[in-house]
Amino acid sequence: MINGERLIERPLRWGMVGGGRTGQVGYKHRTGALRDGTYKLICGAFDLDAARGRDFGVKLGVEANRCYADYKELIAGETAREDGVEVVSIATPNFTHYEITKACLEAGLHVICEKPLFFTVEECDEVAKLAEEKGLIVGVTYGFTGHPLVHQMAAMVKKGMLGDIRIVDMQYTHGFNAGDDVGAGEALKWRTNPKTAGPTFVLGDIGTHLYYLSEVVLPHLKIERLLCDRKAFIPTRAPLEDHATVLMHYDNGARGRLWVSSVNAGNMGSQRYRFVGSKASIEWSDAHPDQLIYEVQGEPNRILHHGMPYLEEESLAVDRMGALHTEGLGDSWSNIYLWIAQAIDAKNRDDEAFLKTHHYPGIKAGTEGVRWLENCVRSADAGSAWVDFK
């Protein structure tokens, strides 16, 4: 169980690009990073409006002279200091991820970036090579993959409790974009513009969460072929999609279905995962994050509760609140940030043995998410045709 004891020698000097007062994800990053004493927020370029960003940063406790106008000023200012920033989180629109990540790495800074990581696998491979050459970590924030019941599912699959995996069924939908875009906020505007969002809207914005979590639970399964059908029910969002269904064929013969939508009217937003094997099935949803449904063929259904001693050690080791209290998104983000901090600490100490066995969402996880998106777009653009996954 995680109890707040610092698991690295000292806090990492941490900064943010984006994530300011009007941002949607900044507080999630700070909730995750600051909880265990593994990071100390010392600087930021929080906002396109420099004055507003400075005011916001000061109210977070950052010195005014370390609240910068943009990421270029941040890098220049911090690399000139002996006590400069070591790791930077990027919580900005998709189209900026590549240039900011690359600039930080070239300056010798570790990076934690929002998803989808970049627009193309080619960009991902370039940055992965640069990070390797510089001896630096790139982490990616896939929100719920730090939840203890996700790791309970992974442990159950690994130990054969489900048998051979046959069916993978995933859903992440909400209805907050069911209406037209008249008066839309800036967040929706950039997410539905190919120049700023990239080649997808909901596939990249929420679909990559589903895909990466399935990789955590089912690391032995690989997609061989997929078919993506996507549509913009609000025409002004075309050519990007506000709804998509993806069918997947895996290398063991399993079949997968993934549904993402931001026009599921009345739905308040939820992720649901069901993994079906030859012996049993498991199902988990963030709408009921404390409960994992375990169904063994021919036996009564069971509801497993987080934090209980009958769970696998892999789950109990990353639990924070204990069985009596709800374990949610903030706890998951804290785990993700902790795991990335441990990776950065190990990289700083040249502890490659630790890194070989340590789990965290890194550059490979980000790259595979972009690869999945590229294949989805290729299929959709070919008239929702089956394509070989590559």
Side-chain angles (χ1 to χ4, degrees):
M1 185 174 184
I2 296 172
N3 61 11
E5 292 182 83
R6 195 159 65 222
L7 300 181
I8 61 176
E9 184 176 350
R10 61 169 178 80
L12 298 169
R13 298 188 297 276
W14 177 55
M16 294 191 71
V17 177
R21 181 174 291 144
T22 62
Q24 294 181 325
V25 299
Y27 186 59
K28 297 172 188 175
H29 284 269
R30 290 185 290 277
T31 296
L34 299 176
R35 189 166 180 180
D36 296 318
T38 48
Y39 300 84
K40 182 179 180 181
L41 183 61
I42 62 166
C43 68
F46 298 105
D47 202 311
L48 289 173
D49 183 322
R52 184 172 62 188
R54 183 175 297 107
D55 180 68
F56 179 73
V58 168
K59 289 178 179 176
L60 291 178
V62 178
E63 295 175 8
N65 66 342
R66 300 181 83 172
C67 296
Y68 300 95
D70 57 39
Y71 79 89
K72 294 178 181 178
E73 280 193 12
L74 183 150
I75 291 173
E78 291 297 312
T79 54
R81 302 175 62 114
E82 290 187 5
D83 62 347
V85 71
E86 298 172 278
V87 52
V88 174
S89 287
I90 300 170
T92 56
N94 300 350
F95 76 103
T96 65
H97 293 176
Y98 170 73
E99 65 178 66
I100 300 174
T101 298
K102 189 174 178 182
C104 287
L105 292 174
E106 288 173 339
L109 306 176
H110 301 282
V111 172
I112 301 170
C113 189
E114 268 292 329
K115 39 73 353 234
L117 187 56
F118 307 133
F119 282 3
T120 68
V121 170
E122 183 179 3
E123 290 175 339
C124 293
D125 290 343
E126 179 188 349
V127 168
K129 181 180 178 182
L130 176 61
E132 180 67 23
E133 291 172 350
K134 293 285 188 176
L136 297 167
I137 294 293
V138 176
V140 186
T141 49
Y142 289 109
F144 261 112
T145 56
H147 196 282
L149 288 183
V150 172
H151 295 271
Q152 173 69 18
M153 290 192 287
M156 294 172 74
V157 169
K158 184 177 181 180
K159 295 177 182 182
M161 297 172 67
L162 274 62
D164 297 328
I165 299 301
R166 292 174 172 173
I167 301 168
V168 178
D169 191 40
M170 302 177 283
Q171 171 185 334
Y172 191 170
T173 65
H174 63 79
F176 287 98
N177 303 140
D180 62 36
D181 291 343
V182 176
E186 290 302 316
L188 181 58
K189 288 179 180 178
W190 74 252
R191 282 180 169 87
T192 54
N193 182 347
K195 293 181 179 179
T196 50
T200 68
F201 171 23
V202 293
L203 282 163
D205 197 43
I206 56 180
T208 49
H209 283 294
L210 298 173
Y211 179 65
Y212 178 63
L213 192 145
S214 74
E215 289 190 303
V216 172
V217 176
L218 308 169
H220 61 295
L221 293 193
K222 305 301 177 186
I223 298 174
E224 286 190 335
R225 306 176 71 222
L226 65 70
L227 179 154
C228 176
D229 179 33
R230 65 174 180 167
K231 178 176 176 63
F233 280 101
I234 307 303
T236 54
R237 297 171 188 161
L240 305 188
E241 77 293 333
D242 50 29
H243 168 94
T245 304
V246 184
L247 302 180
M248 294 165 285
H249 289 180
Y250 293 90
D251 57 356
N252 73 331
R255 296 297 189 256
R257 179 183 64 175
L258 181 150
W259 173 33
V260 288
S261 180
S262 67
V263 295
N264 187 12
N267 183 267
M268 291 301 293
S270 62
Q271 301 177 46
R272 184 189 63 80
Y273 303 84
R274 183 172 178 84
F275 304 109
V276 180
S278 56
K279 298 178 182 178
S281 304
I282 48 178
E283 184 168 327
W284 180 79
S285 168
D286 67 355
H288 302 282
D290 292 334
Q291 299 180 348
L292 174 62
I293 299 172
Y294 178 36
E295 301 171 345
V296 180
Q297 180 61 34
E299 298 181 11
N301 292 349
R302 304 163 201 175
I303 296 179
L304 309 183
H305 198 281
H306 92 92
M308 291 299 288
Y310 53 71
L311 297 178
E312 303 300 321
E313 176 57 30
E314 292 90 335
S315 177
L316 295 174
V318 299
D319 199 281
R320 288 176 174 269
M321 302 305 294
L324 187 61
H325 304 291
T326 299
E327 191 98 7
L329 181 62
D331 306 291
S332 179
W333 273 77
S334 296
N335 283 348
I336 291 168
Y337 259 90
L338 174 60
W339 298 336
I340 295 173
Q342 290 176 298
I344 291 170
D345 177 66
K347 180 63 77 170
N348 289 345
R349 294 183 288 103
D350 294 321
D351 189 349
E352 294 299 324
F354 177 85
L355 288 168
K356 285 181 180 178
T357 59
H358 180 59
H359 168 84
Y360 73 99
I363 185 71
K364 185 176 185 299
T367 301
E368 291 310 307
V370 174
R371 189 186 315 280
W372 179 76
L373 290 174
E374 284 191 343
N375 281 273
C376 287
V377 171
R378 188 160 55 90
S379 167
D381 288 353
S384 300
W386 283 99
V387 297
D388 292 336
F389 192 86
K390 59 184 180 180

